[in-house]
Amino acid sequence: MQAATAGKIQMPDIAAQVTYAMRIMGVSPIPRNYELYYEAYIGSNPKLTKELAALGSRATQEELDEIGARYFSHLHPAGIDRVHNQMSRDLTDLLTLLREEQFALENYNRVLDETYRNISSKSNTSADLLRQAVSILSEATVDTMSQGKERVENVSMKSFEMEVIRQELDEYKRIANTDSLTRLANRRAFDEKLAAIYNTEAHGFTGLLIADIDHFKKINDSFGHPVGDKILATVGTVIRANLRRDAFVARTGGEEFAIILPDSSAEESLQVAERIRVALSTTPFKNSKTGANYGPITLSIGVCQASAAEDPIDLYNKSDVALYCAKNSGRNRSIMFEDGMKKDAGKSWLIYRK
């Protein structure tokens, strides 16, 4: 491969493009609509993309909400609002309990002060003072302990309920960041993870791998999307099985996967890429019922170390350029980014993604 002077590669601003497309189509730029068009843009759900395309530029909010309820029922505002309202109620109840406990303790302190003043008075006999003090303190203590025990139980119950709600909210977040087909992280989760790489001083020892299934469009055209979906799920499983526990892997597009490797040198990152590539190329893809052979299925992988990039966008761009070079030089290979690599300006970016 001949080296050439690399120009500044600009990464498309997905958010801006999605927002622009929504504005052109007359779609209200509210969060739940953005969610739909974002998923359609990155191509992770072909059925959703087709349904939105079928609506054209005259989609009503009711039609969009209907699609959203079917594809993102786990993220539907009603569900999140319900959890939020429940947590607000529980917090209010908990604060009320704590205020009642504070009031009870203040009353108890007043009883103690009054008893002390009576004991200090010289107008009563010692026997009378003792009887009054014992009676008052005994009654106040029993009442306070009884009320306190009840409040402790109520506080414990509210705390348990709030913990359940917290777990439910965590589950919402997990589902929101998970690709429903492969069960890997999705593009949203990857964007967050990628942005955080340069937040630590040890970011230089982080590798980014971008992998793309070779000729995936031909697979879909030949065998249909249901088979393509099964292949995507299997590819995700193979990638995950060949990574360390601390590695992050996501499905970032239709047939594209991204892997973030912490604490890895350039040599180690390339070794991981090769291990994944070889493992997939030797994995059989056959229909056990019909005997149809869908394989071999191969990956092209672009690799770049964070130390070779200025920021997350630059890191993604350079890994992407390395992926392009892997595709352009024959596919089914892993290539580490090097200075001088660039995309062929005379070719469409979409050519190598077919």
Side-chain angles (χ1 to χ4, degrees), residues 250-320:
R251 180 187 174 207
T252 53
E255 65 269 24
E256 183 180 279
F257 298 82
I259 301 157
I260 296 176
L261 297 175
D263 301 321
S264 293
S265 64
E267 292 75 15
E268 290 170 335
S269 295
L270 196 56
Q271 286 173 3
V272 170
E274 276 297 285
R275 182 166 68 244
I276 292 171
R277 186 188 64 79
V278 172
L280 186 66
S281 65
T282 57
T283 297
F285 286 84
K286 293 183 179 180
N287 187 314
S288 58
K289 294 181 179 180
T290 65
N293 189 350
Y294 307 129
I297 304 298
T298 62
L299 285 175
S300 295
I301 306 175
V303 185
C304 185
Q305 291 297 112
S307 57
E310 297 177 0
D311 53 39
I313 293 178
D314 191 36
L315 176 60
Y316 184 92
N317 285 339
K318 288 178 176 177
S319 299
D320 200 34

Side-chain angles (χ1 to χ4, degrees), residues 7 20 62-63 85 117 138 148 158 166 169 173 187 194 226 232 241 249 283 288 293 310 323 325 336 353:
Y20 176 76
E62 183 178 356
E63 290 172 327
N85 291 336
R117 285 193 300 271
S138 177
K158 289 298 178 185
R166 184 194 65 78
L169 288 173
K173 182 177 180 181
R187 181 57 184 255
L194 180 68
L232 283 169
V249 56
T283 297
S288 58
N293 189 350
E310 297 177 0
L323 171 60
C325 292
M336 174 69 70
R353 296 175 64 86

Side-chain angles (χ1 to χ4, degrees), residues 47-89:
K47 294 179 180 179
L48 168 63
T49 303
K50 287 183 179 179
E51 287 200 34
L52 286 180
L55 294 179
S57 59
R58 297 183 178 278
T60 65
Q61 189 59 54
E62 183 178 356
E63 290 172 327
L64 293 173
D65 286 342
E66 181 182 345
I67 293 176
R70 280 190 282 108
Y71 286 96
F72 303 111
S73 58
H74 54 277
L75 298 176
H76 201 270
I80 295 178
D81 287 345
R82 176 184 59 77
V83 175
H84 180 270
N85 291 336
Q86 182 61 47
M87 178 167 279
S88 296
R89 287 193 295 270

